[in-house]
Amino acid sequence: MAQPTAEIQQRAEKLRREVQEASYAYYVLDNPIMADEVYDRLYRELQDLEIQYPQLITPDSPTQRVGEKPASQFNSVKHNIPLYSLENAFNIEEFTRWQERWQRVYSADKFEYVCELKIDGSALALTYENGILIRGATRGDGITGEEITQNVKTIRSIPLRLNLDNPPPRIEVRGEAFLGLATFEKINEERAKKGEQLFANPRNAAAGTLRQLDSRIVAERKLDFFAYTLQIPDTDDEAVAARQLECLEKLEEMGFRVNPNRKLCQSLGEVAEYYDEWNTGRLTLPYMTDGVVVKINSVALQKRLGFTQKFPRWAVALKYAAEEAPTLVENISVNVGRTGALTPLAELKPVQLAGTTVSRATLHNIDYVQSLDIRVGDTVIVHKAGEIIPEVVRVLKELRPEKTKPFEMPNHCPVCGEPVFREGGEAVTRCVNASCGAILRGALVHWASRDALDINGLGEKIVAQFVDKKVVTSVADLYYLSVDDIARMERMGKKSAQKLIDGITASKKQPWARVLYGLGIRHVGSVNAKTLTEKFKNVDQLAGAKISEIEGVYGIGFEIAQAVFDWFRVEGNQQLIERLKGAGLQLANQEPTGVKEGKPAKLALSGKTFVITGTLPSLKRDEAKARIENAGGKVTGSVSAKTDYVVVGEDAGSKLQKAEELGISQLDEAQLLQLLED
């Protein structure tokens, strides 16, 4: 076997470091530091060197994330530290009783709670030796689990090597593997196309994925991970982190992704506020959460309280209302959306679910209906997880009445009566009549939505009147309406009409990215629209771009590129763009104030690097990060000599200590806001 030279060994080590840093920035910090093409080239160079010189392969090499051969089975392993489950409380009253119980064990006059979102996924136990990941295991029964290290290595937000200069001999990390909602939906779409049984929910999909024997399949499904517990055996826990918040910060410094939606609470009342806030706030999250985990912040107090036979006394899961319930299917109707998609809906006997009364549930498409074999009269299990319209996940066929009939999708659009089509390879049946009232109503509501043109006063009721009375036939018509046109609508006087005209006129100032999103092109969300408009500065550039040019934009795939290209080839859409131009919409990026000789204006915090530590008085961490980045600054997860400012909140941890050691400038929230204002 050929031996690598010292120069080749150094090159391999540098490549490993560069690829690891790029992967950490992309998957954990969500802040890419290099283009995909550059990453791919560096990765392939490292891979080629390891193929030529196998002795260069290390356990923490990025090339070792996916195994070459499927495992034959999983082995049971005993956890080095047991994984206890949490006691449940289902309302603040039960939480109060939990607090009274632990205070009977040890009465503490002064204490704090840390609230963290309870991620609905699968618990993992990770073991690191000398900073290298050596084992990943499922929770199992808490004492033993299944060893799935090769699958764990495919999760990009789990570091193969910890970001520590002198790591302890052994570190144990606990956290939750999960599937984001968008990823889950994509997986089910692919399974539907292949005729495979759909996953009932992201939690089941994550658990099933982790137990795949072929780690290449696991890698394709793109699991994510949030870390929440750090344990270092044979070390005083308080010396490592005296508080739970410090523990979370240390996990971030080590290279883990930690959920940012955590809060230090000084009282039961503050816990109740956090719990109530996220009961609705969780509906906007890109992943599932079914409650709040409340932990006593002090590690010393945790030790004093200890454990019962089943649970830690110092933590509790404050769960939200049940998300599954049985009910009867009274009818199956079909809804037509703004893209023409026909969606079967189960009309249900009203049932209480997650704090609301549910009377409808989505059935997605005909494949989903057929896979469940759902019929009118069936008793079904309805599930609600972060969606406005719940879905049916199971049919209790043993309760099915006699003489029920399978559901059939209509051959004609229930709104306009035109024939419907289902393209090969697609699960969705569509109406393709551009004049269909349902499509037009959906397009107008989307155009007026907050993330698009944000037209105040243009809601579903007035849109329905515009369409039904043929006052508006496209979004462009909105900009040619008069006060009298609107005042003739039901419940609309001159004053209300003028307000709506003012809202429509104000929307002309919305930037090019919002207009592009408002056009409702398939697969183009608000983020993709912004990405595209950064590359294509005006509508003519985008309309004239080739598919390869659109796909070449960082973050844009072939499916999006094809959809954008096809949309601009339709004559009716070309006419729409011309009418929007004539109405004065922003179909090009506006140069910022201060641009000279073609050079972009320099933002206030350009080139400055920030680290945020502790809990700020009013700003959430994500909000503070967004404000800094909007001003041109960069926010990182760890303090280094390259850090310009550390923003310090209450209960700041080791990052503050490191900043003091390095002499880095510190800001409180007020000083940060002043800096941003200046």
Side-chain angles (χ1 to χ4, degrees), residues 373-476:
D373 187 23
I374 183 172
R375 306 179 185 187
V376 175
D378 275 340
T379 300
V380 296
I381 301 298
V382 186
H383 178 80
K384 189 176 183 182
E387 299 177 37
I388 296 174
I389 300 178
E391 64 178 355
V392 174
V393 293
R394 290 195 304 281
V395 176
L396 303 180
K397 294 181 181 178
E398 61 272 19
L399 301 178
R400 172 174 289 169
E402 295 181 2
K403 298 182 179 179
T404 58
K405 296 180 180 179
F407 171 77
E408 294 183 2
M409 187 70 81
N411 296 319
H412 292 78
C413 175
V415 176
C416 68
E418 292 294 317
V420 295
F421 300 91
R422 184 180 180 185
E423 295 182 11
E426 278 206 356
V428 179
T429 304
R430 295 184 187 279
C431 172
V432 295
N433 174 21
S435 300
C436 176
I439 296 175
L440 179 56
R441 279 196 294 270
L444 289 167
V445 170
H446 175 70
W447 180 265
S449 64
R450 182 176 297 178
D451 289 339
L453 279 293
D454 194 17
I455 302 176
N456 188 31
L458 188 58
E460 292 186 14
K461 291 183 179 179
I462 188 66
V463 163
Q465 288 192 64
F466 283 161
V467 174
D468 293 343
K469 296 183 180 182
K470 295 182 170 51
V471 174
V472 173
T473 59
S474 79
V475 295

Side-chain angles (χ1 to χ4, degrees), residues 78-96:
K78 185 175 181 179
H79 293 303
N80 299 314
I81 300 172
L83 274 75
Y84 286 89
S85 58
L86 294 177
E87 183 178 356
N88 290 328
F90 290 93
N91 50 54
I92 294 300
E93 289 73 23
E94 291 186 10
F95 176 80
T96 304

Side-chain angles (χ1 to χ4, degrees), residues 11-239:
R11 177 63 178 172
E13 179 57 33
K14 288 182 178 179
L15 287 169
R16 273 195 294 273
R17 193 179 307 117
E18 286 291 319
V19 174
Q20 285 167 349
E21 289 178 359
S23 185
Y24 171 73
Y26 187 90
Y27 292 102
V28 178
L29 301 181
D30 195 22
N31 186 24
I33 59 175
M34 67 173 63
D36 285 358
E37 295 81 1
V38 176
Y39 178 92
D40 290 340
R41 287 179 180 274
L42 295 178
Y43 183 93
R44 283 197 295 271
E45 183 183 348
L46 175 61
Q47 195 173 43
D48 290 341
L49 284 176
E50 291 179 348
I51 290 172
Q52 187 176 358
Y53 303 103
Q55 58 268 55
L56 291 177
I57 299 175
T58 61
D60 62 313
S61 174
T63 63
Q64 301 304 296
R65 281 201 178 270
V66 182
E68 295 299 321
K69 295 180 180 179
S72 58
Q73 63 178 16
F74 294 127
N75 297 319
S76 293
V77 292
K78 185 175 181 179
H79 293 303
N80 299 314
I81 300 172
L83 274 75
Y84 286 89
S85 58
L86 294 177
E87 183 178 356
N88 290 328
F90 290 93
N91 50 54
I92 294 300
E93 289 73 23
E94 291 186 10
F95 176 80
T96 304
R97 290 196 289 272
W98 168 81
Q99 178 176 275
E100 291 170 352
R101 284 197 300 275
W102 74 253
Q103 287 189 322
R104 285 198 294 268
V105 176
Y106 184 89
S107 179
D109 296 329
K110 187 177 180 181
F111 58 89
E112 300 169 327
Y113 289 126
V114 173
C115 291
E116 305 169 40
L117 294 183
K118 186 176 182 297
I119 308 303
D120 202 7
S122 290
L124 291 180
L126 310 177
T127 302
Y128 290 80
E129 287 188 356
N130 299 314
I132 306 296
L133 176 65
I134 64 158
R135 193 176 84 175
T138 62
R139 181 185 180 278
D141 62 5
I143 303 300
T144 60
E146 289 182 314
E147 197 261 322
I148 55 167
T149 307
Q150 201 58 53
N151 288 349
V152 166
K153 285 184 174 182
T154 69
I155 303 175
R156 300 281 180 166
S157 44
I158 293 179
L160 301 181
R161 174 192 287 271
L162 298 178
N163 185 27
L164 294 173
D165 293 332
N166 296 298
R170 181 183 290 267
I171 288 178
E172 299 283 336
V173 174
R174 305 287 186 261
E176 201 82 4
F178 65 96
L179 279 171
L181 292 173
T183 304
F184 168 71
E185 289 170 4
K186 190 172 183 180
I187 290 171
N188 263 354
E189 285 175 8
E190 293 296 325
R191 292 177 72 84
K193 289 178 183 178
K194 297 175 183 177
E196 298 174 349
Q197 184 176 353
L198 303 185
F199 287 118
N201 52 56
R203 180 183 62 253
N204 291 357
T209 297
L210 286 169
R211 299 195 74 259
Q212 288 285 327
L213 293 173
D214 191 342
S215 61
R216 290 169 291 192
I217 296 176
V218 183
E220 290 173 1
R221 293 187 182 170
K222 298 180 180 178
L223 286 163
D224 209 335
F225 181 81
F226 280 131
Y228 51 67
T229 301
L230 170 64
Q231 294 166 318
I232 304 179
D234 304 321
T235 303
D236 183 358
D237 292 338
E238 293 179 65

Side-chain angles (χ1 to χ4, degrees), residues 233-275:
D234 304 321
T235 303
D236 183 358
D237 292 338
E238 293 179 65
V240 176
R243 298 175 178 85
Q244 170 64 10
L245 274 184
E246 290 179 11
C247 166
L248 297 175
E249 290 185 352
K250 284 191 176 294
L251 285 167
E252 284 182 322
E253 291 173 10
M254 290 178 180
F256 288 96
R257 191 174 180 211
V258 176
N259 194 284
N261 303 304
R262 52 191 186 263
K263 183 179 180 181
L264 181 68
C265 296
Q266 305 290 343
S267 66
L268 189 149
E270 289 187 22
V271 172
E273 289 177 6
Y274 181 91
Y275 176 71

